[in-house]
mmCIF file of all heavy atoms in Angstrom:
data_model
loop_
_atom_site.group_PDB
_atom_site.id
_atom_site.type_symbol
_atom_site.label_atom_id
_atom_site.label_comp_id
_atom_site.label_asym_id
_atom_site.label_seq_id
_atom_site.Cartn_x
_atom_site.Cartn_y
_atom_site.Cartn_z
ATOM 1 N N ASN B 448 90.515 64.622 122.892
ATOM 2 C CA ASN B 448 89.503 65.541 122.352
ATOM 3 C C ASN B 448 89.831 65.865 120.894
ATOM 4 O O ASN B 448 90.882 65.463 120.376
ATOM 5 C CB ASN B 448 89.387 66.821 123.198
ATOM 6 C CG ASN B 448 90.701 67.557 123.309
ATOM 7 O OD1 ASN B 448 91.461 67.663 122.354
ATOM 8 N ND2 ASN B 448 90.991 68.075 124.505
ATOM 9 N N ASP B 449 88.906 66.571 120.242
ATOM 10 C CA ASP B 449 89.062 66.840 118.811
ATOM 11 C C ASP B 449 90.229 67.772 118.507
ATOM 12 O O ASP B 449 90.891 67.635 117.477
ATOM 13 C CB ASP B 449 87.777 67.456 118.247
ATOM 14 C CG ASP B 449 86.636 66.446 118.173
ATOM 15 O OD1 ASP B 449 86.905 65.238 118.238
ATOM 16 O OD2 ASP B 449 85.475 66.886 118.041
ATOM 17 N N PHE B 450 90.469 68.737 119.381
ATOM 18 C CA PHE B 450 91.584 69.650 119.122
ATOM 19 C C PHE B 450 92.920 68.901 119.151
ATOM 20 O O PHE B 450 93.799 69.164 118.327
ATOM 21 C CB PHE B 450 91.597 70.815 120.109
ATOM 22 C CG PHE B 450 90.765 71.980 119.647
ATOM 23 C CD1 PHE B 450 90.002 72.724 120.538
ATOM 24 C CD2 PHE B 450 90.737 72.358 118.306
ATOM 25 C CE1 PHE B 450 89.230 73.804 120.107
ATOM 26 C CE2 PHE B 450 89.976 73.436 117.863
ATOM 27 C CZ PHE B 450 89.220 74.161 118.768
ATOM 28 N N THR B 451 93.053 67.970 120.083
ATOM 29 C CA THR B 451 94.276 67.151 120.104
ATOM 30 C C THR B 451 94.378 66.343 118.813
ATOM 31 O O THR B 451 95.458 66.216 118.227
ATOM 32 C CB THR B 451 94.294 66.230 121.343
ATOM 33 O OG1 THR B 451 94.160 67.035 122.512
ATOM 34 C CG2 THR B 451 95.580 65.429 121.426
ATOM 35 N N ALA B 452 93.226 65.813 118.347
ATOM 36 C CA ALA B 452 93.231 65.069 117.072
ATOM 37 C C ALA B 452 93.752 65.969 115.951
ATOM 38 O O ALA B 452 94.615 65.561 115.160
ATOM 39 C CB ALA B 452 91.825 64.569 116.756
ATOM 40 N N LEU B 453 93.259 67.197 115.878
ATOM 41 C CA LEU B 453 93.708 68.118 114.822
ATOM 42 C C LEU B 453 95.209 68.391 114.932
ATOM 43 O O LEU B 453 95.913 68.455 113.921
ATOM 44 C CB LEU B 453 92.923 69.428 114.879
ATOM 45 C CG LEU B 453 91.450 69.337 114.457
ATOM 46 C CD1 LEU B 453 90.711 70.645 114.781
ATOM 47 C CD2 LEU B 453 91.325 69.036 112.956
ATOM 48 N N ASP B 454 95.692 68.548 116.148
ATOM 49 C CA ASP B 454 97.127 68.790 116.356
ATOM 50 C C ASP B 454 97.958 67.583 115.929
ATOM 51 O O ASP B 454 99.010 67.727 115.312
ATOM 52 C CB ASP B 454 97.411 69.090 117.831
ATOM 53 C CG ASP B 454 96.883 70.453 118.255
ATOM 54 O OD1 ASP B 454 96.755 71.339 117.380
ATOM 55 O OD2 ASP B 454 96.588 70.631 119.450
ATOM 56 N N VAL B 455 97.480 66.399 116.290
ATOM 57 C CA VAL B 455 98.206 65.176 115.939
ATOM 58 C C VAL B 455 98.239 65.006 114.422
ATOM 59 O O VAL B 455 99.278 64.692 113.833
ATOM 60 C CB VAL B 455 97.555 63.945 116.625
ATOM 61 C CG1 VAL B 455 98.120 62.640 116.054
ATOM 62 C CG2 VAL B 455 97.767 64.003 118.138
ATOM 63 N N ILE B 456 97.098 65.262 113.782
ATOM 64 C CA ILE B 456 97.012 65.129 112.320
ATOM 65 C C ILE B 456 97.991 66.089 111.630
ATOM 66 O O ILE B 456 98.674 65.728 110.672
ATOM 67 C CB ILE B 456 95.558 65.378 111.846
ATOM 68 C CG1 ILE B 456 94.665 64.218 112.312
ATOM 69 C CG2 ILE B 456 95.488 65.552 110.330
ATOM 70 C CD1 ILE B 456 93.184 64.521 112.301
ATOM 71 N N ARG B 457 98.077 67.307 112.161
ATOM 72 C CA ARG B 457 99.002 68.286 111.584
ATOM 73 C C ARG B 457 100.440 67.757 111.648
ATOM 74 O O ARG B 457 101.201 67.854 110.678
ATOM 75 C CB ARG B 457 98.889 69.617 112.339
ATOM 76 C CG ARG B 457 99.655 70.736 111.673
ATOM 77 C CD ARG B 457 99.677 71.991 112.500
ATOM 78 N NE ARG B 457 98.364 72.645 112.531
ATOM 79 C CZ ARG B 457 98.169 73.855 113.061
ATOM 80 N NH1 ARG B 457 99.163 74.513 113.623
ATOM 81 N NH2 ARG B 457 96.965 74.396 113.049
ATOM 82 N N THR B 458 100.808 67.183 112.799
ATOM 83 C CA THR B 458 102.155 66.629 112.951
ATOM 84 C C THR B 458 102.371 65.451 112.002
ATOM 85 O O THR B 458 103.412 65.341 111.354
ATOM 86 C CB THR B 458 102.398 66.195 114.410
ATOM 87 O OG1 THR B 458 102.283 67.357 115.240
ATOM 88 C CG2 THR B 458 103.780 65.586 114.600
ATOM 89 N N LEU B 459 101.351 64.559 111.915
ATOM 90 C CA LEU B 459 101.473 63.405 111.016
ATOM 91 C C LEU B 459 101.689 63.863 109.579
ATOM 92 O O LEU B 459 102.514 63.310 108.845
ATOM 93 C CB LEU B 459 100.221 62.525 111.114
ATOM 94 C CG LEU B 459 100.061 61.735 112.421
ATOM 95 C CD1 LEU B 459 98.705 61.038 112.460
ATOM 96 C CD2 LEU B 459 101.195 60.716 112.569
ATOM 97 N N GLU B 460 100.947 64.895 109.181
ATOM 98 C CA GLU B 460 101.101 65.394 107.810
ATOM 99 C C GLU B 460 102.506 65.958 107.575
ATOM 100 O O GLU B 460 103.098 65.730 106.519
ATOM 101 C CB GLU B 460 100.011 66.425 107.494
ATOM 102 C CG GLU B 460 98.674 65.717 107.204
ATOM 103 C CD GLU B 460 97.475 66.644 107.149
ATOM 104 O OE1 GLU B 460 97.633 67.852 107.435
ATOM 105 O OE2 GLU B 460 96.372 66.149 106.824
ATOM 106 N N LYS B 461 103.008 66.664 108.590
ATOM 107 C CA LYS B 461 104.383 67.171 108.489
ATOM 108 C C LYS B 461 105.372 66.014 108.338
ATOM 109 O O LYS B 461 106.401 66.137 107.695
ATOM 110 C CB LYS B 461 104.765 67.962 109.741
ATOM 111 C CG LYS B 461 104.217 69.377 109.794
ATOM 112 C CD LYS B 461 104.801 70.096 111.010
ATOM 113 C CE LYS B 461 104.031 71.353 111.340
ATOM 114 N NZ LYS B 461 104.456 71.907 112.645
ATOM 115 N N MET B 462 105.058 64.866 108.979
ATOM 116 C CA MET B 462 105.933 63.690 108.922
ATOM 117 C C MET B 462 105.700 62.873 107.657
ATOM 118 O O MET B 462 106.306 61.804 107.486
ATOM 119 C CB MET B 462 105.704 62.798 110.147
ATOM 120 C CG MET B 462 106.074 63.442 111.471
ATOM 121 S SD MET B 462 105.679 62.350 112.890
ATOM 122 C CE MET B 462 107.029 61.167 112.803
ATOM 123 N N GLY B 463 104.781 63.330 106.806
ATOM 124 C CA GLY B 463 104.507 62.620 105.562
ATOM 125 C C GLY B 463 103.578 61.418 105.713
ATOM 126 O O GLY B 463 103.505 60.564 104.833
ATOM 127 N N ARG B 464 102.858 61.335 106.821
ATOM 128 C CA ARG B 464 101.901 60.253 107.024
ATOM 129 C C ARG B 464 100.513 60.746 106.640
ATOM 130 O O ARG B 464 100.056 61.759 107.173
ATOM 131 C CB ARG B 464 101.837 59.849 108.510
ATOM 132 C CG ARG B 464 103.146 59.385 109.077
ATOM 133 C CD ARG B 464 103.601 58.121 108.346
ATOM 134 N NE ARG B 464 104.691 57.499 109.071
ATOM 135 C CZ ARG B 464 104.494 56.575 110.014
ATOM 136 N NH1 ARG B 464 103.288 56.163 110.328
ATOM 137 N NH2 ARG B 464 105.523 56.061 110.627
#
Side-chain angles (χ1 to χ4, degrees):
Chain B
N448 57 40
D449 289 343
F450 272 142
T451 304
L453 290 170
D454 289 334
V455 169
I456 291 162
R457 189 187 289 188
T458 299
L459 289 173
E460 283 169 355
K461 281 186 195 170
M462 296 177 77
R464 301 297 193 90

